[in-house]
Amino acid sequence: MPNVDMQQLQNMRNHFETGVTKPYQFRKKQLQLLKQAVLKYETEISAALYSDLKKSKEEAYTTEIGLVLSEINLAIKNLSNWMAPKYVSTDLANLPSSSKIYRDALGVVLIISPWNYPFQLMMNPLIGAIAGGNVAVIKPSEFAVATAGIIDKIITEIFPDEYIYCVQGDGATEVSAMMQSFRFDHVFYTGSIPVGKAIYKMAAENLVPVTLELGGKSPCIVEADANLSTAARRIVLGKFINVGQTCIAPDYVLVHQSVQEELINKLKSTIEKFYTTDASTSYDYGKIINEKRFDTLVSYLNEGKIIFGGNHDKSKLFIAPTLIDNISLDSSLMKEEIFGPILPIISYSTQEEALQIIKQNENPLAFYLFTTNKKTENEWIKAVPFGGGCINNADWHFTNHNLPFGGVGKSGMGAYHGKFTFDTFTRLKGVLKTPNWFDPFIKYPSFKGRLKLFKWIFR
Ligand code: NAD
């Protein structure tokens, strides 16, 4: 039996329809309450992230709690401006009317999040949902049990059930039951491609709009002219933070053959510098989420030649930072999103060759390029359709809330972060206002003989 009943969802719909969630003061107050609660429970959130993923306090803050606080602060600061209707110009045929765009709340929204950054990937969309004047059902991942627990505790403590409601439990059961018995006004889903497809299908039944933040294989190109020491540091951090369980982590490296050996040596020494020679005891190295994921990742280790790392321990859910080469492009390692601490390194000699490899897994969520040549940079950016990415860096585009974050094609649809989250959780409503004092007869029948005039007006 699902945990949530239709009556709860209907209560939320009724609550939204009273209009209480829409005024500016109300939205601002709820964002402030959320901020205070995050600050109050900071230690517990951090402990939950340690329990679920062995994240250090520093990593928990920089990759989860701090990002959430910064998004709340931004929303509080800009809310009134974001909410204000915006004047736009009016075309000649409609003059002297004026035109305005309003931002409407969507209604009852459903937010579903995954386990890898279980706090921020739930809270950041929720901030936009609140800022947008909506009511929200949130469904954290059942695999990050401790974080789901603290999220539920916070939400239950500060918000009434009819406003924000947290549903825990098995996603397939809970989400399907809700979506089949209730029409949400928007579904915001972050997670894997197969589940994203299932959500999209269920949403289509009721023409429910969706945002899908999915995964995929994100390539990382290292050109012959790259600064290799910097590249190695940034790739190692981007790949092995959260033990590779990052949707935008460089999935595999494509390195120009002339610098392959040098890059590999630098990657090896950087891994040892960051995580010591035994990452299982490193303060900065976490764990795999569960045994199922552990087994999948270990199976990948047989698909190429391990050139660094490879050791693992199921009792600790530990897999060392691993570099692997001699990989067949037909292997599952090069067909499935790795989502763990295994970094395939493949060499190329021409851009065309590298592009063919990327095209095997089209529409990457992220794309990274290391080069010092501006022309090469422009060529690559134009050549690959990707969600977002970095030049001479990895992962960090995610943290700039002035950049829209989202996928393309198979890696998702829609975008969020900062103002874009507010945009995602509101609907544009265009309104034309026409004065009564001017009503030219040419707008009314009979139109006969006015074709030339109309052509001039619409020119
Ligand atoms: P997942 O799809 O297994 O689960 C995500 C959420 O969906 C959970 O809350 C789960 O309860 C729910 N769910 C599971 N099965 C469901 C079903 N049949 N119907 C409805 N809901 C269901 O994803 P995951 O394993 O938790 O996350 C890993 C994936 O997420 C990776 O592919 C990764 O790239 C992607 N991801 C993407 C982003 C992004 O921002 N684009 C961020 C993090 C993770």
Side-chain angles (χ1 to χ4, degrees), residues 25-53:
Q25 287 301 344
F26 176 86
R27 304 185 197 189
K28 187 173 160 197
K29 178 88 184 34
Q30 310 316 307
L31 291 168
Q32 284 164 338
L33 279 176
L34 188 59
K35 177 179 169 178
Q36 283 154 14
V38 173
L39 292 170
K40 176 178 163 191
Y41 287 108
E42 188 180 327
T43 312
E44 282 187 49
I45 299 164
S46 202
L49 291 166
Y50 186 85
S51 163
D52 287 331
L53 288 147

Side-chain angles (χ1 to χ4, degrees), residues 171-185:
T173 311
E174 300 300 329
V175 173
S176 310
M178 287 191 286
M179 288 185 72
Q180 279 158 16
S181 61
F182 182 79
R183 185 185 186 276
F184 287 96
D185 296 292

Side-chain angles (χ1 to χ4, degrees), residues 63-65 67-68 117-125 398 416-417:
T63 67
E64 304 242 19
I65 302 166
L67 290 180
V68 171
Y117 289 85
F119 189 67
Q120 59 113 335
L121 291 176
M122 173 51 76
M123 288 300 168
N124 284 353
F398 185 91
Y416 74 128
H417 285 186

